[in-house]
Amino acid sequence: MDYIDKKTLQRSAQQEKDEFVTAIFSLIVENESGVLSRVIGLFAGRGYNIESLTVAPVDDGGRKSRINILTSGTPMVINQIKEQLDRQVPVYRVVNLCRQGPYVARELALIKVVSKGSERAEALTLADAFRAQVVDASIDSLVFELTGKTEKINAFVDLLRSLGLVELSRTGIAAIGRGRHTI
Amino acid sequence: MTNIELNKADHSQIGESVQTMTGAEVLLQVLVDMGVDVIFGYPGGAVLPIYDALFQQDRIRHILTRHEQAAVHAAEAYARSTGKVGVALVTSGPGATNTVTGLVDALMDSIPLVCISGQVFSNLIGNDAFQEADTVGITRAATKFNYLIKDKDKLAGKIREAFYIARSGRPGPVLIDIPKDLMINTAPYQKQVIKEHPSYKPVVEPNHQAIVDAVRAMKKAKRPLFYTGGGIINSGPKASKNLRALVQMSGFPCTSTLMGLGAYPASDKQFLGMLGMHGTYEANLATHGCDVLVALGARFDDRVTGSVKDFSPNSLKIHADIDPSQINKIVLVDIPIVGDVSRTIELMIEEWNKNPEPVDQHALDTWWKQINEWRSIDCLRYTQNNAAGATIKPQHAIRRLHELVSKRGKEAYVSTEVGQHQMWAAQYFPFESPNHFMTSGGLGTMGYGLPAAVGTQVAHPQGLVIDIAGEASTMMNIQELATIKQYRLPVKIFILNNRYMGMVRQWQELIHGGRYSESYSDSLPDFVKLAESFGIKGLRAQTIDDLDAVITEMLDEPGPVLVEIQVEKEENCFPMIPAGAPHNQILLGADSKA
Ligand SMILES: Cc1ncc(C[n+]2csc(CCOP(=O)(O)OP(=O)(O)O)c2C)c(N)n1
């Protein structure tokens, strides 16, 4: 009973009313101009925050794109976001991966460190431990590439802060459900 | 490519008979195919090819409003009063930006509308060209959907799709922006059926189990209430008919939002009047006290709920809406039903007949006894002094208007502006059938009423159309008197002049210590002379002695009339639930018998 599920979900939502939860919305949308701004305009217009956003075409013809949005809010707000996204004309499907079941989420980061001597050596050792790639190097600078869970990237970046971290570029997460689940 | 070559190329591509014409001609042909007989618009450089094509045909009538905002409101009222899709046509840049208020108005009240805007030549887009604006960008949040059409081959299909999106699911405004070169150049036209948009699939058929559960709860109710909204009217006349059947077979009381007025006949004894901020005492107390609330095509607007946490605190809530995002948006509901409301009611009736359980007639009688007690305080009572020279009460002016109209055996189409007069119209001008009340509910747009009267009268040339207005609101789209004159629309403009922005003054009196900051309408025009300057008959009632004669003369006049009723300046609109208060803290006027 589809609709009753929603009801119990909402009742529990009320109990934990003020508690924020994280949501990863994965959307399949028509790949045409204006769609992304329609989707993110909805967040802006209603005062919802976007923590990260990724978007790229996902089928052969490039007719459909997948958008991943990381956000947080009370369960009631999260449900509203889903319904609001769902009713947009160019949106095929919306799933909150955090609700649907197990999922994997990955992010890519490029991290520039400017340092010399022992600090540089330490940065390289850390990179090794985290399996970060060196994608550019000069006498006093390094650029690492790291792909992984957001927390792993956060941990790596935190460690590099004292070692000469000067610039960071992150993609935001790409996410997908585990197992046979598709959206 | 010559025409003939193009023709051939398209033939081979599409494999059915294709005619080639200019894009502007394709547009008009598709409009004809969609059943459009009238459009409201205002010309300009970017849409001149369309105006030229309009000139050379006679299947679509064009009504020239005097402002693009008015074109959209007129199209909205055309839609609201006919159930068809309204169409507006405007030029690029300033023409398009002038539509924004109308588009948001239509979005908030779920009015099916297609707005066609011209855009500069494709090769100039993005160049800050003359009269260029990012129309799709500006109107994105103002529409259900919008497009910039870039490909001439897609012109016909996209226009068809726009109509489909505008009227299906939860209806709303769709804007199509067309660059000028697409209108001038040849484009393929095919008489094809509408293809549904691949990613847009509104749910129409309600969940069966939800209906079963809803009816079971309704039969168990001891203090039930139907709360109906504009969705019933949007769903078509059948929804109103079904509603009437369901309410009557159940014996339950029924209240309505502002948008839903007319969906259930106001004169029926099961109707409690409007609920919400200026709703009746009995409707609001019933909402507060009911144990099963059946919301049909209504969206729990804050003007209805007041304080959300105190809204109908002890009821089991059933909510039927075609738009899933409305469910649990404001008030948590127990039984959500997503789907067309007419179909929902139909299924409820079927289920009601199948379910053998009788209603608890004893409880229902007790509930009605309670409601009738609330009713007996007569919350809409006012005292009109009938002595010679007495000032006219605005409520009385509307009541007399209704009585004199009814005497003629007519049901009027009424549009309103926004303010006290709008609420008084809702309270004192009862409606018996849907599609007769055109008012701006969600956005509350001053300046809506006069253009709405234009759109309604164009849709119903023989109908009696009355714009119940305030003097301040009338000033917002006063230029539409010219449209009324040009098309000889026999609209009756009924201005209640209290020389204040009355609703603003009321709030200032009740909430801001009587500091009437900028709410006084100083230096108003002489409305009678103003009407006359447009070639329209103007009448004025200054005291109670004039009132009936003026209304009668207005109704007798075959052409348009502007009437100024000078009313009690500081009259307030009651009942009133102060913003944020629960329904049982409703304020009553001095004359009610509480
Ligand atoms: C476009 C617009 N601007 C401002 C308002 C705020 N507003 C609501 S009612 C009102 C006063 C309306 O005055 P009037 O038309 O004279 O009607 P009355 O309340 O006196 O009946 C105003 C300014 C509005 N609703 N719409």
Side-chain angles (χ1 to χ4, degrees):
Chain A
M1 282 193 299
D2 212 13
Y3 80 96
I4 288 285
D5 271 3
K6 195 167 189 176
K7 175 187 124 186
T8 43
L9 187 151
Q10 284 307 305
R11 284 297 182 211
S12 66
Q14 193 179 31
Q15 282 150 18
E16 35 182 283
K17 208 165 188 172
D18 299 323
E19 238 167 73
F20 267 49
V21 293
T22 298
I24 298 171
F25 287 111
S26 246
L27 288 73
I28 301 295
V29 302
E30 195 104 321
N31 180 12
E32 62 186 23
S33 76
V35 175
L36 183 62
S37 75
R38 197 164 262 280
V39 167
I40 61 175
L42 190 151
F43 280 75
R46 289 167 184 261
Y48 308 142
N49 188 36
I50 293 178
E51 279 154 42
S52 94
L53 170 75
T54 57
V55 50
V58 286
D59 68 345
D60 294 348
R63 280 199 327 103
K64 292 180 187 172
S65 287
R66 183 166 181 143
I67 300 177
N68 295 293
I69 301 171
L70 176 66
T71 185
S72 62
T74 63
M76 210 163 158
V77 164
I78 295 297
N79 194 55
Q80 252 305 293
I81 297 176
K82 176 174 185 302
E83 299 293 356
Q84 292 293 339
L85 290 170
D86 221 354
R87 75 172 187 165
Q88 299 302 313
V89 172
V91 172
Y92 284 92
R93 241 170 96 54
V94 183
V95 167
N96 176 359
L97 290 173
C98 302
R99 265 263 150 76
Q100 186 194 243
Y103 62 92
V104 282
R106 292 290 180 270
E107 180 172 9
L108 183 148
L110 295 170
I111 306 147
K112 184 179 287 181
V113 174
V114 176
S115 58
K116 280 186 178 163
S118 65
E119 287 178 343
R120 177 182 173 93
E122 205 175 322
L124 284 165
T125 317
L126 279 174
D128 225 28
F130 277 82
R131 293 182 214 282
Q133 306 283 327
V134 175
V135 291
D136 180 62
S138 71
I139 293 189
D140 56 2
S141 76
L142 293 161
V143 175
F144 297 113
E145 175 194 319
L146 181 58
T147 307
K149 288 187 186 167
T150 295
E151 306 85 73
K152 176 178 168 180
I153 293 174
N154 288 344
F156 184 53
V157 167
D158 280 346
L159 288 168
L160 288 179
R161 271 192 213 289
S162 59
L163 300 177
L165 174 93
V166 292
E167 203 177 333
L168 190 58
S169 180
R170 300 172 69 151
T171 59
I173 59 168
I176 204 160
R178 284 186 188 274
R180 294 182 54 190
H181 261 309
T182 57
I183 83 164
Chain B
M1 224 191 291
T2 67
N3 272 2
I4 296 163
E5 276 169 335
L6 188 86
N7 232 333
K8 263 192 219 150
D10 283 340
H11 258 298
S12 59
Q13 248 180 359
I14 305 156
E16 79 172 84
S17 89
V18 176
Q19 291 169 23
T20 306
M21 31 184 139
T22 69
E25 287 163 347
V26 169
L27 167 68
L28 294 185
Q29 183 57 51
V30 175
L31 293 184
V32 169
D33 295 349
M34 302 312 293
V36 175
D37 51 10
V38 57
I39 59 183
F40 302 88
Y42 205 94
V47 281
L48 281 181
I50 300 175
Y51 276 85
D52 196 38
L54 272 170
F55 190 83
Q56 298 179 53
Q57 56 86 53
D58 55 9
R59 288 170 303 172
I60 294 181
R61 198 171 161 215
H62 177 273
I63 302 291
L64 176 70
T65 57
R66 266 46 175 190
H67 191 292
E68 288 87 354
Q69 184 192 351
V72 179
H73 290 325
E76 279 185 88
Y78 177 93
R80 185 118 183 123
S81 68
T82 60
K84 298 203 314 191
V85 178
V87 182
L89 170 61
V90 300
T91 192
S92 66
T97 56
N98 270 351
T99 65
V100 171
T101 303
L103 293 172
V104 180
D105 193 273
L107 186 67
M108 295 282 272
D109 286 342
S110 313
I111 307 295
L113 192 83
V114 169
C115 179
I116 296 148
S117 57
Q119 184 52 278
V120 300
F121 279 90
S122 301
N123 61 348
L124 294 179
I125 293 176
N127 282 1
D128 300 332
F130 177 65
Q131 295 196 326
E132 183 191 353
D134 172 10
T135 301
V136 287
I138 291 167
T139 60
R140 194 165 285 130
T143 49
K144 181 176 175 185
F145 197 48
N146 64 5
Y147 315 81
L148 168 64
I149 301 182
K150 286 179 275 188
D151 179 351
K152 68 177 167 53
D153 295 333
K154 292 200 173 143
L155 186 62
K158 289 283 181 195
I159 296 163
R160 286 194 169 88
E161 188 180 281
F163 275 80
Y164 169 69
I165 292 172
R167 73 169 162 234
S168 62
R170 180 180 179 177
V174 178
L175 178 134
I176 316 172
D177 203 29
I178 310 177
K180 189 171 182 179
D181 45 310
L182 261 70
M183 304 169 197
I184 295 170
N185 295 339
T186 52
Y189 164 80
Q190 322 161 248
K191 207 175 177 63
Q192 65 190 4
V193 288
I194 314 163
K195 275 204 220 87
E196 293 181 12
H197 192 284
S199 59
Y200 173 71
K201 301 253 181 300
V203 176
V204 180
E205 189 64 17
N207 177 300
H208 178 69
Q209 187 58 43
I211 300 278
V212 172
D213 290 357
V215 169
R216 197 184 302 142
M218 284 153 68
K219 288 240 176 146
K220 285 213 173 81
K222 295 191 185 307
R223 299 184 310 280
L225 179 68
F226 284 108
Y227 147 47
T228 62
I232 308 258
I233 294 174
N234 281 335
S235 176
K238 209 169 141 210
S240 297
K241 239 196 250 140
N242 291 341
L243 174 68
R244 190 178 194 143
L246 178 65
V247 172
Q248 292 182 353
M249 75 198 293
S250 65
F252 294 177
C254 177
T255 179
S256 164
T257 66
L258 179 72
M259 273 294 109
L261 291 177
Y264 192 83
S267 62
D268 189 86
K269 62 180 189 320
Q270 281 171 257
F271 189 62
L272 307 187
M274 181 170 79
L275 83 166
M277 184 174 272
H278 293 289
T280 64
Y281 187 68
E282 52 270 32
N284 282 319
L285 265 70
T287 307
H288 194 78
C290 65
D291 69 345
V292 172
L293 183 74
V294 189
L296 300 170
R299 62 182 179 90
F300 299 89
D301 181 79
D302 53 273
R303 285 290 181 272
V304 160
T305 60
S307 160
V308 171
K309 75 173 180 7
D310 302 312
F311 176 76
S312 193
N314 301 313
S315 62
L316 178 131
K317 295 175 186 73
I318 300 166
H319 185 192
D321 203 298
I322 193 143
D323 178 358
S325 75
Q326 298 312 302
I327 289 174
N328 290 330
K329 185 178 78 173
I330 292 162
V331 170
L332 293 177
V333 302
D334 301 278
I335 305 179
I337 306 171
V338 176
D340 172 49
V341 75
S342 180
R343 182 77 183 127
T344 298
I345 302 173
E346 205 170 273
L347 292 172
M348 281 179 166
I349 291 172
E350 263 175 39
E351 184 57 32
W352 184 279
N353 288 330
K354 257 193 263 164
N355 180 324
E357 205 167 321
V359 291
D360 184 343
Q361 196 56 47
H362 177 69
L364 201 53
D365 289 345
T366 314
W367 179 226
W368 270 112
K369 207 169 138 244
Q370 168 71 75
I371 289 173
N372 287 329
E373 259 169 51
W374 289 327
R375 234 180 204 166
S376 69
I377 75 139
D378 201 358
C379 68
L380 295 179
R381 209 156 90 129
Y382 58 85
T383 312
Q384 171 66 54
N385 176 359
N386 284 310
T391 314
I392 302 165
K393 290 264 187 183
Q395 301 94 319
H396 189 65
I398 295 178
R399 181 164 281 169
R400 283 309 288 160
L401 175 66
H402 178 255
E403 284 166 358
L404 292 170
V405 167
S406 303
K407 247 195 193 157
R408 291 166 190 241
K410 284 215 167 192
E411 184 168 16
Y413 294 91
V414 171
S415 70
T416 74
E417 301 287 348
V418 170
Q420 289 178 318
H421 63 274
Q422 177 190 31
M423 292 299 117
W424 283 320
Q427 294 171 335
Y428 295 93
F429 203 108
F431 292 95
E432 296 301 305
S433 40
N435 307 99
H436 281 70
F437 189 41
M438 272 51 69
T439 196
S440 170
L443 196 62
T445 310
M446 288 171 74
Y448 173 87
L450 191 54
V454 167
T456 308
Q457 190 79 73
V458 166
H460 306 276
Q462 308 305 324
L464 171 59
V465 178
I466 305 171
D467 169 28
I468 297 180
E471 78 294 338
S473 295
T474 301
M475 295 298 287
M476 282 219 176
N477 270 318
I478 190 70
Q479 74 287 341
E480 295 313 310
L481 289 177
T483 310
I484 288 168
K485 172 67 182 166
Q486 176 179 346
Y487 298 98
R488 299 196 192 87
L489 302 172
V491 166
K492 317 298 178 200
I493 302 148
F494 195 74
I495 301 175
L496 300 178
N497 186 355
N498 55 5
R499 307 193 70 85
Y500 274 112
M501 295 175 199
M503 191 57 96
V504 173
R505 191 202 52 73
Q506 175 167 349
W507 282 53
Q508 289 173 334
E509 179 187 326
L510 299 176
I511 298 158
H512 298 282
R515 291 176 294 277
Y516 296 157
S517 177
E518 307 290 335
S519 57
Y520 188 67
S521 301
D522 211 355
S523 89
L524 284 164
D526 176 330
F527 281 105
V528 171
K529 281 192 191 152
L530 179 79
E532 284 165 357
S533 75
F534 280 94
I536 291 172
K537 183 169 189 167
L539 297 172
R540 175 177 294 127
Q542 270 165 317
T543 66
I544 190 72
D545 316 86
D546 312 330
L547 182 64
D548 281 10
V550 161
I551 295 174
T552 304
E553 189 175 351
M554 173 185 95
L555 295 175
D556 284 342
E557 166 68 40
V561 190
L562 184 151
V563 171
E564 180 198 5
I565 310 285
Q566 295 185 349
V567 295
E568 179 82 50
K569 281 191 199 154
E570 305 201 332
E571 187 67 19
N572 283 338
C573 181
F574 288 112
M576 177 176 182
I577 301 174
H583 283 188
N584 57 355
Q585 290 177 20
I586 187 167
L587 306 177
L588 292 166
D591 292 326
S592 69
K593 293 180 236 161

